[in-house]
Amino acid sequence: EVQLVESGGGLVQPGRSLRLSCAASGFTFDDYAMHWVRQAPGKGLEWVSGISWNSGSIGYADSVKGRFTISRDNAKNSLYLQMNSLRAEDTALYYCAKDSSRWLLPVFDYWGQGTLVTVSS
Amino acid sequence: EIVMTQSPATLSVSPGERATLSCRASQSVSSNLAWYQQKPGQAPRLLIYGASTRATGIPARFSGSGSGTEFTLTISSLQSEDFAVYYCQQYNNWPPGRYTFGQGTKLEIK
């Protein structure tokens, strides 16, 4: 059974940093691209960032480019999102999502339950 | 950025009836279109990809159609568990970084 478990969310002040993690199990992690998708409270879905199976292809939404960094450790079956210079508009539930492909062909076939990030003073 | 527009924002349908949800892209995305279902307090679930291919385990009452800029998700006979929010998402853009979702259609019980 595919499982994606996010962690690292919490309350943080504007301008500070936070690092999210996603622990994956139930599939061959290094065979698939992975993504972060977020959902602000009561709002729709927004793709944040994605990384290919070998970290050779990475993409970011314009809204986070230059502030967020995605990475993965295939030996640990883990995905990460380093979030710097956080803003109030980054407040959201952050989902880890598995791609159906090795490359960034973002059809998200499995999702975690999300970790909540709240940016507020 | 490709803008995805879903209509209607809310759709009221009775159980057993057919529901038709629309999604329009601001420019062609070919068949690079997926549909997701999200119930309150849950993560989204993939229903359809490639505009018309059902994901693993998705019942046959869900079907997708369209290409280019106009897409439709049809639920042929609504079950109680189908009342949820539905999102379309395009994945046509290159370079990476332009994958956009529609704003969602809430399917509610009439």
Side-chain angles (χ1 to χ4, degrees), chain A residues 23-106:
Chain A
S25 61
F27 65 101
T28 305
F29 183 71
D30 56 10
D31 270 351
Y32 296 94
M34 296 293 296
H35 301 264
W36 291 98
V37 179
R38 69 184 180 184
Q39 187 168 35
K43 302 298 184 182
L45 301 168
E46 180 187 17
W47 177 81
V48 173
S49 183
I51 185 168
S52 63
W53 68 283
N54 63 354
S55 304
S57 184
I58 287 175
Y60 298 97
D62 288 345
S63 57
V64 307
K65 198 171 295 183
R67 300 188 298 123
F68 290 11
T69 302
I70 192 172
S71 61
R72 64 189 295 162
D73 185 336
N74 287 344
K76 294 183 177 180
N77 289 351
S78 294
L79 175 72
Y80 306 101
L81 186 67
Q82 178 67 42
M83 304 186 295
N84 298 333
S85 303
L86 282 161
R87 306 167 180 167
E89 54 264 36
D90 295 319
T91 294
L93 186 64
Y94 283 73
Y95 291 105
C96 169
K98 173 185 168 294
D99 199 314
S100 61
S101 166
R102 282 192 158 203
W103 303 102
L104 296 183
L105 186 71

Side-chain angles (χ1 to χ4, degrees), chain B residues 6 21-23 33-37 45-49 51-52 63-65 71-73 86-89 105:
Chain B
Q6 292 185 241
L21 289 67
S22 296
C23 175
L33 191 285
W35 289 94
Y36 299 86
Q37 176 195 68
R45 178 175 71 146
L46 175 67
L47 299 175
I48 301 285
Y49 62 94
S52 61
S63 63
S65 62
F71 301 90
T72 300
L73 175 69
Y86 292 83
Y87 294 95
C88 63
Q89 174 234 340
T105 290

